[in-house]
Amino acid sequence: MAAEGAGVRSHEAHVVEMFGPQAAAYVASAVHARGADLDALKALVEEARPARLLDLGCGGGHVSFTAAPFAGEVVAYDLSEDMLGAVAAEAKARGLANIATRQGVAERLPFADGSFDMVASRYSAHHWRNVPQALAEVRRVVKAGGQVVMMDVIAPEWPVADTFLQTVELLRDPSHGRDYSPSEWSRIAEEAGFRVVRTAHRRLRLEFASWVARIRTPELHVAAIRSLMAGASADVATHFEFEADGSFSIDTLTLELETA
């Protein structure tokens, strides 16, 4: 007989279980609340002035908060009702009355064709069940000539470092799906009917203690992550810039897409 609780919840329910109770932590998270990628997004939205923007997998709402001053309406969309409640409360506190919230999955967007002038997603896709299907849905709901901006952690193109990253991500957060590589992202976007207009690669430093605390990683898994770090090759340690306290650096990618 399976252990109690094992295999009885969907992937989406697992994501909600992991992130819902930590909604306030993600709204307040410094890692999520700032960054060069958000600054670049702000410039894009300020120039485009979209009538309607979808923040897909909004998490703590930082894309929504960044875009709202320059958009007619922002729809913050996420799996977690708790996360959406925290975003709505923060939007009200900031006086951002043009942010609406909607709950659902990335692979089945409850919006009509061509509903949005712009779609943006940040640090969310690595939790989705089916990224190609989600990108196809994005293609459906964005207007012809609209803009799409995808931002996420990416995996190295070389397998050893890729395997290391996916393993520590899963130990930290069992609802982790996959950090895709740049070549995988380009292929998925093109197969969904997009043209890659521009990409930007960045490095993100993660302070270890807050990284595991934010998602309530069990101590057993924290110890396993530190053990993997201690046993990693010099190549892996150099790539991820390990520090004595466990802090390390990862790669992120921003893709600016247009309909092909």
Side-chain angles (χ1 to χ4, degrees):
M1 180 180 293
E4 183 177 354
V8 298
R9 60 191 166 192
S10 68
H11 170 69
E12 289 76 16
H14 198 182
V15 174
V16 169
E17 181 181 287
M18 294 301 298
F19 284 87
Q22 298 302 101
Y26 276 82
V27 172
S29 168
V31 169
H32 294 79
R34 60 175 181 255
D37 56 345
L38 271 184
D39 294 338
L41 177 67
K42 177 182 177 181
L44 283 174
V45 180
E46 188 172 8
E47 180 180 359
R49 301 278 171 166
R52 198 166 187 232
L53 180 146
L54 175 63
D55 179 3
L56 179 56
C58 67
H62 300 293
V63 165
S64 294
F65 306 146
T66 297
F70 312 108
E73 180 188 19
V74 173
V75 178
Y77 183 84
D78 202 85
L79 267 177
S80 169
E81 291 283 8
D82 289 336
M83 199 72 80
L84 292 171
V87 170
E90 182 68 13
K92 182 177 181 180
R94 297 188 186 202
L96 299 172
N98 62 333
I99 295 178
T101 60
R102 189 78 179 267
Q103 190 272 338
V105 299
E107 296 83 359
R108 294 188 305 277
L109 299 178
F111 308 109
D113 295 0
S115 297
F116 296 93
D117 305 279
M118 182 177 284
V119 177
S121 182
R122 182 172 183 255
Y123 298 157
S124 176
H126 59 272
H127 288 289
W128 299 348
R129 175 188 291 269
N130 189 319
V131 170
Q133 183 178 337
L135 262 288
E137 276 288 272
V138 171
R139 176 66 180 83
R140 180 182 65 79
V141 303
V142 71
K143 292 180 179 178
Q147 294 174 280
V148 174
V149 183
M150 301 297 299
M151 298 163 278
D152 207 2
V153 176
I154 52 171
E157 296 283 0
W158 50 299
V160 173
D162 182 336
T163 298
F164 177 87
L165 178 63
Q166 309 299 342
T167 304
V168 299
E169 287 266 49
L170 189 63
L171 282 168
R172 176 200 178 236
D173 168 19
S175 73
H176 173 74
R178 174 165 179 77
D179 296 324
Y180 291 88
S181 68
S183 61
E184 288 173 320
W185 265 115
S186 294
R187 174 181 53 79
I188 291 168
E190 290 167 1
E191 290 177 351
F194 291 107
R195 178 174 56 254
V196 179
V197 176
R198 189 177 296 106
T199 62
H201 294 251
R202 298 181 173 92
R203 292 286 275 177
L204 178 66
R205 181 183 178 277
L206 294 172
E207 195 274 322
F208 187 84
S210 60
W211 181 64
V212 294
R214 192 160 48 243
I215 200 68
R216 301 171 300 153
T217 304
E219 285 301 318
L220 181 65
H221 288 195
V222 172
I225 294 170
R226 294 303 302 268
S227 178
L228 283 173
M229 288 180 166
S233 70
D235 291 340
V236 169
T238 298
H239 177 82
F240 291 108
E241 300 175 331
F242 293 167
E243 299 180 24
D245 68 350
S247 299
F248 63 106
S249 297
I250 54 175
D251 297 292
T252 70
L253 178 68
T254 296
L255 297 98
E256 295 177 33
L257 309 175
E258 290 181 350
T259 53

